[in-house]
Amino acid sequence: STANAPEDDAPNRYSRTERTTFSRYSRDANSSGSSLPSNTLEKRIEELERELAKERQENARLIKVAQDKEELIGKLKEEIDLLNR
């Protein structure tokens, strides 16, 4: 069922505890693989998730602005056509 999830939901597909648990298991299996402490990595993940949420919100706002402008352009074109007649 996760294969049918929209791309937007990909970061939210697993709860924070599941991701944390997974990262702990990965770290235990790979203890020499990373020199950064786990709490630093978890804080960085949370920071990146917040940034991603902000970027998505800004992207949605910009899409709405672009749609509004396209709608206005269409209305103005119709008005110009009427005036030309």
Side-chain angles (χ1 to χ4, degrees):
S1 67
T2 57
N4 295 334
E7 285 185 35
D8 296 5
D9 294 337
N12 299 324
R13 197 173 292 148
Y14 304 106
S15 71
R16 174 168 285 138
T17 55
E18 288 173 303
R19 287 194 307 263
T20 304
T21 303
F22 176 76
S23 68
R24 283 188 190 126
Y25 288 130
S26 296
R27 190 177 62 249
D28 291 342
N30 234 349
S31 59
S32 63
S34 175
S35 61
L36 292 174
S38 66
N39 61 351
T40 304
L41 294 175
E42 288 172 7
K43 286 180 183 177
R44 181 68 177 141
I45 288 170
E46 289 174 7
E47 178 184 326
L48 290 171
E49 287 173 343
R50 283 191 299 272
E51 286 181 33
L52 180 60
K54 287 179 187 176
E55 290 294 328
R56 285 187 174 152
Q57 188 175 19
E58 177 68 5
N59 191 32
R61 187 187 71 79
L62 291 172
I63 288 171
K64 171 119 177 60
V65 167
Q67 289 170 343
D68 291 347
K69 286 183 179 183
E70 288 295 323
E71 185 179 324
L72 180 60
I73 289 169
K75 288 179 182 178
L76 290 172
K77 284 182 179 179
E78 288 175 14
E79 192 173 333
I80 289 169
D81 287 344
L82 288 173
L83 290 171
N84 285 334
R85 291 181 193 168

